[in-house]
Amino acid sequence: MQIARTKEELRAALAPARGRRIVLVPTMGALHEGHASLLRQARELAGDQGTVVSSVFLNPVQFDNASDLATYPQTPEADLDVCRKCGVDVVFMPTPEVMYCPDRSITLEETHLSTVLCGAKRPGHFAGVCLVVNKLFNLVQPTDAIFGKKDYQQLAILRRLVRDLDIPVCLHGAEIVRGEDGLALSSRNVRLTPEHRAAAPTIRRSLLAAREAYRAGKSASEVCAAVVSTLEAIPGVRVDYAELVDAETLHPQTDENRLALLAVAAYFGDVRLIDNIELTRS
Ligand code: PAF
């Protein structure tokens, strides 16, 4: 496995791989089993002849909250071990100084899907994600890239980025990986207090209950209100949003026959967790 810390090292590492499949898994590090599953899928997709690239870069530009960035876990040595075990060929591990020019002046804003859900709550977040992912696409020039569906909105926005900018890459969405108790794996989970870690699987339980209630005919607002009251019954928990939207437009539903998405973000103390579930009426 090669480790590239500069753009020049990355280009050199990838030169022999051009012309064959290159599968990119962008990450911010603090890799857990969810990332490992993305990396294994990348290895499978690339096959013996292709190349798997993982980026490990805590992208400051996508953080709307300074303390979230400051407390985001960083485990570079363990991350390299995970990459090695999952068959990654090249790890790109730049610093912010390597990644960004100090006087950078281009922004990249998606203006429709980003106005709702996390985008409405975290100003500038998705512009930062689009900027870094677009840079990674330019640097790596992957044929394929894999993103997890826990960040459902992120995946939808990145599909728009690829479509609207004609970026020649095929995006793959990977299913959410959960602990045995149902909690979606997240790098932020390690920051939960023991009490909140024990209570956090309630998010998944409330989404499963919502799916049943929606199937049984409850309205979108009834379903969302039930999720909010279940979660806010836990001491120290505040729901940032719980919204039922059209799964494709991410905006309020106009047709209940289409696939719906129930997305939730909740603060357990100062740790913000997200999760989602797709819903249908029958
Ligand atoms: O999902 C993430 O971890 C990040 O948003 C990404 C896609 C690696 C961009 O920094």
Side-chain angles (χ1 to χ4, degrees):
M1 186 175 85
Q2 297 188 65
I3 302 166
R5 297 191 189 271
T6 65
K7 295 174 184 173
E8 293 70 28
E9 286 173 8
L10 179 66
R11 285 194 192 100
L14 289 176
R18 299 281 170 221
R20 280 170 283 134
R21 209 161 197 176
I22 298 180
V23 186
L24 172 66
V25 179
T27 82
M28 296 204 298
L31 302 187
H32 49 66
E33 187 46 39
H35 296 108
S37 143
L38 300 182
L39 294 170
R40 285 193 290 267
Q41 289 175 54
R43 183 70 272 163
E44 179 113 1
L45 199 58
D48 293 344
Q49 302 297 312
T51 301
V52 175
V53 183
S54 174
S55 57
V56 174
F57 177 59
L58 185 55
N59 176 32
V61 178
Q62 71 185 72
F63 281 79
D64 55 310
N65 173 327
S67 90
D68 190 23
L69 174 61
T71 55
Y72 200 90
Q74 285 183 276
T75 57
E77 291 313 315
D79 294 346
L80 289 173
D81 279 348
V82 173
C83 289
R84 243 177 240 115
K85 287 195 182 105
C86 295
V88 172
D89 299 298
V90 180
V91 181
F92 182 41
M93 265 190 158
T95 59
E97 293 70 29
V98 163
M99 201 62 176
Y100 292 111
C101 293
D103 62 346
R104 69 180 174 83
S105 51
I106 299 285
T107 55
L108 199 48
E109 199 174 346
E110 192 287 328
T111 56
H112 183 63
L113 301 173
S114 304
T115 59
V116 293
L117 307 176
C118 284
K121 299 289 179 179
R122 302 183 64 190
H125 168 64
F126 286 117
V129 171
C130 286
L131 184 66
V132 77
V133 171
N134 193 55
K135 281 166 75 70
L136 290 168
F137 286 164
N138 289 336
L139 289 163
V140 176
Q141 296 174 28
T143 54
D144 302 82
I146 307 185
F147 297 89
K149 287 195 195 166
K150 180 165 74 71
D151 297 292
Y152 201 98
Q153 186 175 17
Q154 169 172 280
L155 178 59
I157 291 167
L158 293 174
R159 286 196 192 285
R160 250 329 143 87
L161 178 83
V162 164
R163 187 198 72 179
D164 288 0
L165 298 186
D166 299 305
I167 302 175
V169 62
C170 177
L171 297 193
H172 305 263
E175 293 310 319
I176 299 175
V177 179
R178 301 181 178 281
E180 277 179 16
D181 56 10
L183 179 63
L185 299 191
S186 161
S187 303
R188 292 186 175 88
N189 290 353
V190 296
R191 294 193 47 239
L192 292 166
T193 62
E195 294 73 24
H196 278 156
R197 175 62 190 82
T202 310
I203 301 175
R204 172 67 172 165
R205 285 197 289 275
S206 71
L207 293 180
L208 290 172
R211 185 170 68 185
E212 292 316 306
Y214 189 68
R215 274 198 191 130
K218 295 275 185 207
S219 69
S221 56
E222 285 171 319
V223 164
C224 294
V227 170
V228 173
S229 69
T230 303
L231 291 176
E232 292 196 340
I234 303 167
V237 172
R238 179 177 68 78
V239 174
D240 203 16
Y241 67 79
E243 286 181 41
L244 202 153
V245 294
D246 183 287
E248 193 183 322
T249 67
L250 303 185
H251 283 259
Q253 288 178 295
T254 51
D255 177 357
E256 290 199 352
N257 294 317
R258 285 166 52 87
L259 187 66
L261 178 80
L262 175 53
V264 59
Y267 283 96
F268 281 62
D270 65 351
V271 183
R272 187 174 185 275
L273 301 180
I274 59 171
D275 203 346
N276 65 73
I277 194 166
E278 290 178 341
L279 308 179
T280 52
R281 274 295 186 199
S282 52

